Amino acid sequence: MLIDSPPEQSAEPSAAEQPRKRHSVRAAGLVAALAVLLVVCAASIVVGAKPVPLGDVWHGLFQNSGTGTDVLIADVRVPRTLLGLLAGVALGLSGAVMQALTRNPLAEPGLMGVNAGAAAAVVTATGFLGVTSLTGYVWFAFAGAAAVSVLVYVLGGGRSATPVRLALAGTAATAALYGYVNAVQLLDAAALDRLRFWTVGSLAGAELATVRQVAPFLAVGVVLALLVARPLNAMEMGDDTARALGAHLNRTRVLAMLSVTLLCGGATAACGPIVFVGLMVPYLVRAVTGPDMRWILPYAAVLSPVLLLVSDIVGRVVARPSELQVGIVTALIGGPVFLHLVRRKRMAQL
């Protein structure tokens, strides 16, 4: 007599369970990344060129009495950490949006000429208008970034712009503007001296006033980046497919460029042009989360400030009692990583 045996349970999750499992894994990874970010923010306040005991750090944070150590913690390291946090979020999100907009996984925010526009405006302000304070030329940097973004959009074809045209227009504008920046700095030694830290990217000298100045613009940029996540997903499959899925291409490109301008322009205005953060983190995140911008953006927003703050901590520690600017550290890290990524992509030779 044959007895029917119950079917064996498959060890593999069903097709319906797989998306839920991936979602859970991604969510858990994002929570872990947030925990790492909190630890790095705490380390940025505690660790520096001058060692400070934990008790003094706590006193400076919550019982500031105006002593030297309390001022160091409350007025130097806390604003520096906050600015690094905001700048990291901005660079990560703008890099992710730029890579999706240009359909180039090795693109970075400076590809649209934002960094060059900000640098040209700051050089003009310091060299010809006598602006010397960070809170003074941050507005010039922002205006320069916005103006060049509009120029690149127009040169790239306006309403008929394509990713290739935008990239070419941004590259041309960047080359021309950095030529102007170098010329002014060579002719004006005072301007070169005032800008030597800003041009390499630095969190040193951060003030709460600067954080308050750029925070509203960065907040709007974050909202715009999140709003264009879904249509950018559609555009990565091609313009025709995106139209069929209901995406408005011109509106999405305009909003994406505005987001990049606000995010990268604000970060550049406050810290100077910091390279590779907006390239490395979104690229590596994409390899983990897949091409869905709804996951790439949160991961990039969390992990980019981790990289930026860790680089800043390293710069403060390795050169005690002096320090290396964070832009130098990210370039030293990013250069080899970028070459590795290019080799892995096996990019076709022209």
Side-chain angles (χ1 to χ4, degrees):
M1 180 178 178
L2 297 177
I3 300 176
D4 291 336
S5 58
E8 294 184 1
Q9 296 293 329
S10 173
E12 296 293 330
S14 65
E17 292 174 344
Q18 287 179 353
R20 288 197 296 268
K21 183 178 180 180
R22 286 196 298 267
H23 180 86
S24 299
V25 171
R26 290 169 178 169
L30 188 58
V31 171
L34 283 169
V36 172
L37 177 58
L38 291 176
V39 172
V40 171
C41 288
S44 178
I45 296 174
V46 174
V47 181
K50 176 184 177 181
V52 179
L54 287 177
D56 292 345
V57 172
W58 186 268
H59 191 276
L61 287 174
F62 300 104
Q63 300 176 0
N64 187 353
S65 60
T67 62
T69 302
D70 288 351
V71 170
L72 173 66
I73 297 299
D75 297 339
V76 177
R77 291 189 183 174
V78 169
R80 184 170 185 158
T81 301
L82 289 175
L83 185 59
L85 177 64
L86 292 179
V89 170
L91 292 173
L93 288 178
S94 59
V97 171
M98 180 58 63
Q99 290 174 8
L101 181 64
T102 61
R103 299 174 199 158
N104 179 0
L106 296 180
E108 58 122 8
L111 188 65
M112 298 300 297
V114 175
N115 289 346
V122 170
V123 165
T124 301
T126 57
F128 302 109
L129 302 179
V131 179
T132 58
S133 65
L134 175 62
T135 54
Y137 63 64
V138 66
W139 298 110
F140 288 91
F142 219 114
V148 172
S149 296
V150 174
L151 176 64
V152 167
Y153 180 71
V154 173
L155 294 177
R159 293 179 63 86
S160 61
T162 64
V164 174
R165 289 180 180 177
L166 290 174
L168 291 175
T171 302
T174 297
L177 289 171
Y178 272 128
Y180 166 76
V181 169
N182 292 332
V184 172
Q185 288 184 322
L186 288 175
L187 294 174
D188 189 344
L192 174 62
D193 185 64
R194 286 194 295 268
L195 290 174
R196 59 195 175 96
F197 290 118
W198 186 88
T199 52
V200 298
S202 174
L203 297 178
E207 299 176 357
L208 287 177
T210 305
V211 174
R212 286 193 293 266
Q213 281 180 314
V214 300
F217 298 98
L218 298 184
V220 175
V222 169
V223 172
L224 290 177
L226 297 177
L227 288 176
V228 298
R230 189 180 294 273
L232 283 177
N233 277 343
M235 288 175 62
E236 286 194 349
M237 295 184 285
D239 289 356
D240 293 336
T241 303
R243 289 191 187 95
L245 293 174
H248 298 275
L249 302 187
N250 289 327
R251 183 174 67 187
T252 300
R253 289 191 178 112
V254 170
L255 291 178
M257 287 187 62
L258 180 58
S259 171
V260 171
T261 300
L262 291 171
L263 291 169
C264 187
T268 303
C271 309
I274 298 175
V275 296
F276 288 118
V277 174
L279 184 155
M280 285 189 296
V281 176
Y283 179 90
L284 297 174
V285 164
R286 183 181 294 268
V288 174
T289 65
D292 192 343
M293 292 293 291
R294 293 171 298 178
W295 283 105
I296 292 174
L297 292 177
Y299 266 88
V302 174
L303 293 178
S304 293
V306 170
L307 174 61
L308 187 61
L309 289 173
V310 167
S311 299
D312 187 46
I313 294 170
V314 170
R316 283 184 270 172
V317 171
V318 298
R320 285 176 174 171
S322 185
E323 66 178 65
L324 286 177
Q325 306 305 311
V326 66
I328 297 175
V329 179
T330 57
L332 291 175
I333 297 173
V337 173
F338 179 72
L339 292 176
H340 174 68
L341 296 179
V342 170
R343 288 177 62 85
R344 282 191 59 192
K345 292 297 292 182
R346 300 182 183 274
M347 301 178 72
Q349 294 183 356
L350 297 179

